[in-house]
Coordinates of all heavy atoms in Angstrom, one line a residue:
M6 N -12.2 -14.6 6.7 CA -10.9 -14.4 7.2 C -10.7 -12.9 7.4 O -10.6 -12.1 6.4 CB -9.9 -14.9 6.2 CG -8.5 -14.9 6.8 SD -7.3 -15.9 5.9 CE -7.1 -15.1 4.3
A7 N -10.7 -12.4 8.6 CA -10.6 -11.0 8.9 C -9.2 -10.4 8.7 O -9.1 -9.3 8.3 CB -11.1 -10.7 10.3
H8 N -8.2 -11.2 9.1 CA -6.9 -10.7 9.0 C -6.0 -11.5 8.1 O -6.1 -12.8 8.2 CB -6.3 -10.7 10.5 CG -6.9 -9.6 11.3 ND1 -8.1 -9.8 12.0 CD2 -6.5 -8.4 11.6 CE1 -8.4 -8.7 12.7 NE2 -7.4 -7.8 12.5
T9 N -5.2 -10.9 7.3 CA -4.3 -11.6 6.4 C -2.9 -11.0 6.6 O -2.7 -9.9 7.1 CB -4.7 -11.4 5.0 OG1 -5.0 -10.1 4.7 CG2 -5.9 -12.3 4.7
R10 N -1.9 -11.7 6.2 CA -0.5 -11.3 6.3 C -0.3 -10.1 5.5 O -0.7 -9.9 4.4 CB 0.4 -12.5 5.9 CG 1.7 -12.5 6.5 CD 2.6 -13.6 6.0 NE 2.9 -13.4 4.6 CZ 3.8 -12.5 4.1 NH1 4.5 -11.8 5.0 NH2 4.1 -12.4 2.8
C11 N 0.5 -9.2 6.1 CA 0.9 -8.0 5.4 C 1.9 -8.3 4.3 O 2.9 -9.0 4.6 CB 1.5 -7.0 6.4 SG 2.3 -5.6 5.7
P12 N 1.7 -7.8 3.1 CA 2.7 -8.1 2.0 C 4.0 -7.3 2.2 O 5.0 -7.6 1.5 CB 2.0 -7.7 0.8 CG 0.9 -6.8 1.2 CD 0.6 -7.0 2.6
G13 N 4.0 -6.3 3.1 CA 5.2 -5.5 3.2 C 6.2 -5.9 4.2 O 7.3 -5.3 4.2
C14 N 5.9 -6.8 5.1 CA 6.9 -7.2 6.1 C 6.6 -8.7 6.5 O 5.5 -9.2 6.2 CB 6.8 -6.3 7.3 SG 5.2 -6.3 8.1
P15 N 7.5 -9.3 7.1 CA 7.4 -10.8 7.3 C 6.4 -11.1 8.5 O 5.8 -12.2 8.4 CB 8.8 -11.2 7.7 CG 9.6 -10.0 8.0 CD 8.9 -8.8 7.4
S16 N 6.2 -10.2 9.4 CA 5.4 -10.6 10.6 C 4.1 -9.8 10.7 O 3.3 -10.1 11.6 CB 6.3 -10.4 11.8 OG 6.7 -9.0 11.9
G17 N 3.9 -8.8 9.9 CA 2.8 -7.9 10.1 C 1.5 -8.6 9.7 O 1.4 -9.5 8.8
V18 N 0.4 -8.1 10.3 CA -0.9 -8.6 9.9 C -1.8 -7.4 9.6 O -1.8 -6.4 10.3 CB -1.6 -9.4 11.1 CG1 -3.0 -9.6 10.9 CG2 -0.8 -10.7 11.3
K19 N -2.5 -7.4 8.5 CA -3.3 -6.3 8.1 C -4.8 -6.6 8.3 O -5.3 -7.7 8.2 CB -3.0 -5.9 6.6 CG -3.5 -6.9 5.6 CD -3.1 -6.5 4.2 CE -3.6 -7.4 3.1 NZ -5.0 -7.4 2.9
G20 N -5.5 -5.5 8.7 CA -6.9 -5.7 8.9 C -7.7 -5.7 7.7 O -7.2 -5.5 6.6
P21 N -9.0 -6.0 7.8 CA -9.9 -6.1 6.6 C -10.0 -4.8 5.9 O -10.1 -3.7 6.5 CB -11.3 -6.5 7.2 CG -11.2 -6.2 8.6 CD -9.7 -6.3 9.0
G22 N -9.8 -4.8 4.5 CA -9.9 -3.6 3.7 C -8.6 -2.7 3.7 O -8.6 -1.7 3.1
K23 N -7.6 -3.2 4.5 CA -6.4 -2.5 4.5 C -5.4 -3.1 3.5 O -5.4 -4.3 3.2 CB -5.7 -2.5 5.9 CG -6.6 -1.9 7.0 CD -6.5 -0.4 6.9 CE -7.2 0.3 8.1 NZ -8.7 0.2 8.1
Y24 N -4.5 -2.2 3.0 CA -3.5 -2.7 2.0 C -2.3 -3.3 2.7 O -1.6 -4.1 2.2 CB -3.1 -1.6 1.1 CG -4.2 -1.0 0.2 CD1 -4.1 0.2 -0.4 CD2 -5.3 -1.8 -0.1 CE1 -5.1 0.7 -1.2 CE2 -6.3 -1.3 -1.0 CZ -6.2 -0.1 -1.5 OH -7.1 0.4 -2.4
L25 N -1.9 -2.7 3.8 CA -0.7 -3.0 4.6 C -1.0 -3.0 6.1 O -2.0 -2.5 6.5 CB 0.4 -2.0 4.3 CG 0.9 -1.9 2.8 CD1 1.8 -0.7 2.6 CD2 1.7 -3.2 2.4
C26 N -0.1 -3.5 6.9 CA -0.2 -3.4 8.3 C 0.0 -1.9 8.7 O 0.6 -1.1 7.9 CB 0.7 -4.3 9.0 SG 2.5 -3.8 9.0
F27 N -0.3 -1.6 9.9 CA -0.2 -0.2 10.4 C 1.2 0.3 10.3 O 1.5 1.4 9.8 CB -0.6 -0.2 11.9 CG -0.8 1.2 12.4 CD1 -1.8 2.0 12.0 CD2 0.2 1.7 13.3 CE1 -2.0 3.3 12.5 CE2 0.1 3.0 13.8 CZ -1.0 3.8 13.4
G28 N 2.2 -0.5 10.6 CA 3.6 0.0 10.6 C 4.1 0.3 9.2 O 4.7 1.3 8.9
C29 N 3.8 -0.6 8.2 CA 4.2 -0.5 6.8 C 3.4 0.7 6.3 O 4.0 1.6 5.5 CB 3.9 -1.7 6.0 SG 4.9 -3.1 6.4
W30 N 2.2 0.9 6.5 CA 1.4 1.9 6.0 C 2.0 3.3 6.4 O 2.1 4.2 5.6 CB -0.1 1.8 6.5 CG -1.0 2.9 6.0 CD1 -1.5 3.9 6.7 CD2 -1.5 3.0 4.6 NE1 -2.3 4.7 5.8 CE2 -2.3 4.2 4.6 CE3 -1.3 2.3 3.4 CZ2 -2.9 4.6 3.4 CZ3 -2.0 2.7 2.3 CH2 -2.8 3.8 2.3
N31 N 2.4 3.4 7.6 CA 2.9 4.6 8.1 C 4.3 4.9 7.6 O 4.8 6.1 7.8 CB 2.9 4.7 9.6 CG 1.5 5.0 10.2 OD1 1.1 6.1 10.0 ND2 0.9 4.1 10.8
T32 N 4.9 3.9 7.0 CA 6.3 4.1 6.4 C 6.2 4.7 5.0 O 7.1 5.3 4.5 CB 7.0 2.8 6.4 OG1 7.0 2.3 7.7 CG2 8.5 3.0 6.0
L33 N 5.0 4.5 4.4 CA 4.8 5.0 3.0 C 4.9 6.5 3.0 O 4.5 7.2 3.9 CB 3.4 4.6 2.4 CG 3.2 3.1 2.2 CD1 1.8 2.9 1.7 CD2 4.2 2.5 1.2
P34 N 5.4 7.1 1.9 CA 5.3 8.6 1.7 C 3.9 9.1 1.8 O 3.0 8.4 1.4 CB 5.9 8.8 0.3 CG 6.7 7.6 0.0 CD 6.0 6.5 0.7
T35 N 3.8 10.3 2.3 CA 2.4 10.9 2.5 C 1.7 10.9 1.2 O 0.5 10.6 1.1 CB 2.5 12.3 3.1 OG1 3.4 12.2 4.2 CG2 1.2 12.8 3.5
A36 N 2.4 11.3 0.1 CA 1.7 11.4 -1.2 C 1.1 10.0 -1.6 O 0.0 9.9 -2.1 CB 2.7 11.9 -2.2
A37 N 1.9 9.0 -1.4 CA 1.4 7.6 -1.8 C 0.2 7.2 -0.9 O -0.8 6.7 -1.5 CB 2.6 6.6 -1.6
R38 N 0.3 7.5 0.4 CA -0.8 7.2 1.2 C -2.1 7.9 0.8 O -3.2 7.3 0.8 CB -0.5 7.6 2.7 CG 0.4 6.6 3.4 CD 0.1 6.6 4.9 NE 0.3 8.0 5.4 CZ 1.5 8.4 6.0 NH1 2.5 7.6 6.0 NH2 1.6 9.6 6.4
R39 N -2.0 9.2 0.5 CA -3.1 10.0 0.1 C -3.8 9.4 -1.2 O -5.0 9.2 -1.3 CB -2.7 11.4 -0.1 CG -3.9 12.4 0.0 CD -3.5 13.8 0.0 NE -2.3 14.1 -0.8 CZ -1.2 14.8 -0.4 NH1 -1.2 15.2 0.8 NH2 -0.2 14.9 -1.2
L40 N -2.9 9.0 -2.2 CA -3.5 8.4 -3.4 C -4.1 7.1 -3.1 O -5.1 6.7 -3.7 CB -2.4 8.3 -4.4 CG -1.9 9.6 -5.1 CD1 -0.6 9.5 -5.8 CD2 -3.0 10.2 -6.0
L41 N -3.5 6.3 -2.3 CA -4.0 4.9 -2.1 C -5.3 5.0 -1.3 O -6.1 4.0 -1.3 CB -2.9 4.1 -1.3 CG -1.7 3.7 -2.2 CD1 -0.6 3.2 -1.3 CD2 -2.1 2.6 -3.2
N42 N -5.5 6.0 -0.5 CA -6.8 6.2 0.2 C -7.9 6.6 -0.7 O -9.1 6.5 -0.3 CB -6.6 7.3 1.3 CG -6.1 6.7 2.6 OD1 -6.4 5.5 2.9 ND2 -5.4 7.4 3.4
R43 N -7.6 7.0 -1.9 CA -8.7 7.4 -2.8 C -9.3 6.2 -3.4 O -8.7 5.3 -3.9 CB -8.0 8.3 -3.9 CG -8.9 9.4 -4.4 CD -8.2 10.1 -5.6 NE -7.3 11.1 -5.1 CZ -6.5 11.7 -6.0 NH1 -6.4 11.4 -7.2 NH2 -5.7 12.7 -5.6
R44 N -10.6 6.1 -3.3 CA -11.3 4.9 -3.8 C -12.1 5.3 -5.1 O -13.2 5.7 -5.0 CB -12.3 4.3 -2.8 CG -11.6 3.9 -1.5 CD -10.6 2.8 -1.7 NE -9.7 2.7 -0.6 CZ -9.7 1.6 0.3 NH1 -10.5 0.7 0.1 NH2 -8.8 1.6 1.2
D45 N -11.4 5.3 -6.2 CA -12.0 5.6 -7.5 C -11.7 4.5 -8.5 O -11.3 3.4 -8.1 CB -11.6 7.0 -8.0 CG -10.1 7.1 -8.1 OD1 -9.4 6.0 -8.2 OD2 -9.6 8.2 -8.2
S46 N -11.9 4.8 -9.8 CA -11.7 3.7 -10.8 C -10.3 3.3 -10.9 O -10.0 2.3 -11.5 CB -12.3 4.2 -12.1 OG -11.6 5.4 -12.5
R47 N -9.4 4.1 -10.4 CA -7.9 3.8 -10.5 C -7.4 3.1 -9.2 O -6.3 2.7 -9.1 CB -7.1 5.1 -10.7 CG -7.2 5.7 -12.0 CD -6.1 5.3 -13.0 NE -4.8 5.4 -12.4 CZ -3.8 4.5 -12.6 NH1 -4.0 3.4 -13.3 NH2 -2.7 4.7 -12.0
A48 N -8.3 2.9 -8.3 CA -7.9 2.3 -7.0 C -7.2 1.0 -7.1 O -6.1 0.8 -6.5 CB -9.0 2.2 -6.0
M49 N -7.7 0.1 -7.9 CA -7.1 -1.2 -8.1 C -5.8 -1.1 -8.8 O -4.8 -1.9 -8.4 CB -8.1 -2.2 -8.8 CG -9.2 -2.7 -8.0 SD -8.7 -3.4 -6.4 CE -7.7 -4.8 -7.0
A50 N -5.7 -0.2 -9.7 CA -4.4 -0.1 -10.4 C -3.3 0.4 -9.5 O -2.2 0.0 -9.5 CB -4.6 0.9 -11.6
R51 N -3.7 1.4 -8.6 CA -2.7 1.9 -7.6 C -2.3 0.8 -6.6 O -1.1 0.7 -6.3 CB -3.3 3.0 -6.8 CG -3.4 4.3 -7.6 CD -3.8 5.5 -6.7 NE -4.6 6.5 -7.5 CZ -5.9 6.6 -7.4 NH1 -6.6 5.8 -6.7 NH2 -6.5 7.4 -8.2
L52 N -3.3 0.0 -6.2 CA -2.9 -1.1 -5.3 C -1.9 -2.1 -6.0 O -1.0 -2.5 -5.4 CB -4.2 -1.9 -4.9 CG -4.0 -3.1 -4.0 CD1 -3.4 -2.7 -2.7 CD2 -5.4 -3.7 -3.7
R53 N -2.2 -2.3 -7.3 CA -1.3 -3.2 -8.0 C 0.1 -2.6 -8.1 O 1.1 -3.3 -8.0 CB -1.8 -3.5 -9.4 CG -1.5 -4.8 -10.0 CD -2.5 -5.3 -11.0 NE -3.1 -4.3 -11.8 CZ -4.4 -4.1 -12.0 NH1 -5.3 -4.9 -11.5 NH2 -4.8 -3.1 -12.7
E54 N 0.2 -1.3 -8.3 CA 1.5 -0.6 -8.4 C 2.2 -0.7 -7.0 O 3.4 -1.0 -7.0 CB 1.3 0.9 -8.6 CG 1.0 1.3 -10.1 CD 0.9 2.8 -10.3 OE1 1.7 3.5 -9.6 OE2 0.0 3.2 -11.0
L55 N 1.5 -0.5 -5.9 CA 2.0 -0.7 -4.6 C 2.6 -2.1 -4.4 O 3.8 -2.2 -4.0 CB 0.9 -0.4 -3.6 CG 1.3 -0.8 -2.1 CD1 2.4 0.2 -1.6 CD2 0.0 -0.7 -1.2
Y56 N 1.8 -3.1 -4.7 CA 2.3 -4.5 -4.5 C 3.4 -4.9 -5.4 O 4.3 -5.6 -5.0 CB 1.1 -5.4 -4.6 CG 0.1 -5.4 -3.4 CD1 -1.1 -6.0 -3.4 CD2 0.5 -4.7 -2.2 CE1 -1.9 -6.0 -2.3 CE2 -0.4 -4.7 -1.1 CZ -1.6 -5.3 -1.2 OH -2.4 -5.3 -0.1
D57 N 3.3 -4.4 -6.6 CA 4.4 -4.7 -7.6 C 5.8 -4.1 -7.1 O 6.8 -4.8 -7.2 CB 4.1 -4.0 -9.0 CG 3.2 -4.8 -9.8 OD1 2.8 -6.0 -9.4 OD2 2.8 -4.4 -10.9
Q58 N 5.7 -2.9 -6.5 CA 7.0 -2.3 -6.0 C 7.5 -3.1 -4.8 O 8.7 -3.3 -4.6 CB 6.7 -0.8 -5.7 CG 6.6 0.0 -7.0 CD 6.2 1.4 -6.7 OE1 7.0 2.3 -6.4 NE2 4.9 1.7 -6.8
I59 N 6.6 -3.5 -3.9 CA 7.0 -4.3 -2.8 C 7.6 -5.6 -3.2 O 8.7 -6.0 -2.7 CB 5.7 -4.6 -1.9 CG1 5.3 -3.3 -1.2 CG2 6.1 -5.6 -0.8 CD1 4.0 -3.4 -0.4
T60 N 7.0 -6.2 -4.2 CA 7.5 -7.5 -4.8 C 8.9 -7.3 -5.4 O 9.8 -8.2 -5.2 CB 6.6 -8.0 -5.9 OG1 5.3 -8.1 -5.3 CG2 7.0 -9.4 -6.3
T61 N 9.2 -6.1 -6.0 CA 10.5 -6.0 -6.6 C 11.5 -5.4 -5.7 O 12.6 -5.1 -6.0 CB 10.4 -5.0 -7.9 OG1 9.7 -3.8 -7.5 CG2 9.6 -5.7 -9.0
G62 N 11.1 -5.2 -4.4 CA 12.0 -4.8 -3.4 C 12.2 -3.3 -3.2 O 13.2 -2.8 -2.6
V63 N 11.3 -2.5 -3.7 CA 11.4 -1.0 -3.5 C 11.1 -0.7 -2.0 O 10.2 -1.3 -1.4 CB 10.3 -0.2 -4.3 CG1 10.4 1.3 -4.0 CG2 10.6 -0.5 -5.8
P64 N 12.0 0.0 -1.3 CA 11.8 0.3 0.1 C 10.5 1.1 0.3 O 10.1 1.9 -0.6 CB 13.0 1.2 0.5 CG 14.0 1.0 -0.6 CD 13.3 0.7 -1.8
L65 N 9.8 0.8 1.3 CA 8.4 1.3 1.6 C 8.4 2.9 1.5 O 7.5 3.5 1.0 CB 7.9 0.9 2.9 CG 7.4 -0.6 3.0 CD1 7.2 -1.0 4.4 CD2 6.2 -0.9 2.1
H66 N 9.5 3.5 2.0 CA 9.5 4.9 2.1 C 9.8 5.6 0.7 O 9.8 6.8 0.6 CB 10.5 5.4 3.2 CG 11.9 5.1 2.8 ND1 12.5 3.9 3.2 CD2 12.8 5.8 2.2 CE1 13.7 3.9 2.8 NE2 14.0 5.0 2.2
E67 N 10.1 4.7 -0.3 CA 10.4 5.3 -1.6 C 9.3 4.9 -2.6 O 9.4 5.2 -3.8 CB 11.7 4.7 -2.1 CG 12.9 5.3 -1.4 CD 14.2 4.7 -1.9 OE1 14.2 4.0 -2.9 OE2 15.2 5.0 -1.2
I68 N 8.2 4.3 -2.2 CA 7.1 3.8 -3.1 C 6.3 5.0 -3.6 O 6.0 6.0 -2.9 CB 6.2 2.8 -2.4 CG1 7.0 1.5 -2.3 CG2 4.9 2.7 -3.0 CD1 6.2 0.4 -1.7
E69 N 6.1 5.0 -4.9 CA 5.3 6.0 -5.6 C 4.2 5.4 -6.3 O 4.4 4.3 -6.9 CB 6.2 6.8 -6.5 CG 7.2 7.7 -5.9 CD 8.1 8.4 -6.9 OE1 7.8 8.4 -8.1 OE2 9.1 9.0 -6.5
V70 N 3.0 6.0 -6.3 CA 1.9 5.5 -7.1 C 1.4 6.6 -8.0 O 1.5 7.8 -7.7 CB 0.8 4.9 -6.3 CG1 1.2 3.7 -5.5 CG2 0.3 6.0 -5.3
S71 N 0.8 6.2 -9.2 CA 0.3 7.2 -10.1 C -1.0 7.8 -9.6 O -1.8 7.1 -9.0 CB 0.1 6.5 -11.5 OG 1.2 5.7 -11.8
P72 N -1.2 9.1 -10.0 CA -2.5 9.7 -9.6 C -3.7 9.1 -10.3 O -3.5 8.4 -11.3 CB -2.3 11.1 -10.0 CG -0.9 11.3 -10.3 CD -0.3 10.0 -10.6
Ligands
ZN5 ZN1 3.7 -4.7 7.3

C-alpha cells in the first residue's frame, strides 16, 4: 500500500514514508518540521508526539515536538 490516509485531515493522502499529507506538513511550525525530519533514535517518539497531539485536537500550526 503506497498511499494511506493522512491523520491530520479528513481528505488528505500521504505518500510512503511521510507522516502527513503535503498540506498538513506545511502547516506545522518550522521547528516541529525540522525535528520530525531528523531520523535518529527519538524519531518514533516524536512521531508519536505528533500523532497524539493531532488525536487530542491540537491545531497543526501549534504542534510542538521534543528535541
Ligand atoms: Zn493532511
Side-chain angles (χ1 to χ4, degrees):
M6 189 162 70
H8 290 81
T9 47
R10 206 182 66 76
C11 169
C14 60
S16 56
V18 168
K19 67 185 184 68
K23 299 282 190 290
Y24 294 159
L25 296 168
C26 74
F27 188 75
C29 288
W30 181 253
N31 279 295
T32 309
L33 292 179
T35 309
R38 280 207 304 265
R39 201 168 36 225
L40 286 167
L41 287 163
N42 270 330
R43 215 183 276 170
R44 302 297 163 109
D45 57 16
S46 59
R47 289 264 311 139
M49 282 312 293
R51 285 190 210 99
L52 178 59
R53 211 151 37 227
E54 285 184 38
L55 169 69
Y56 285 170
D57 279 355
Q58 288 172 84
I59 290 172
T60 304
T61 53
V63 177
L65 288 169
H66 66 272
E67 289 178 10
I68 282 180
E69 291 177 8
V70 293
S71 312

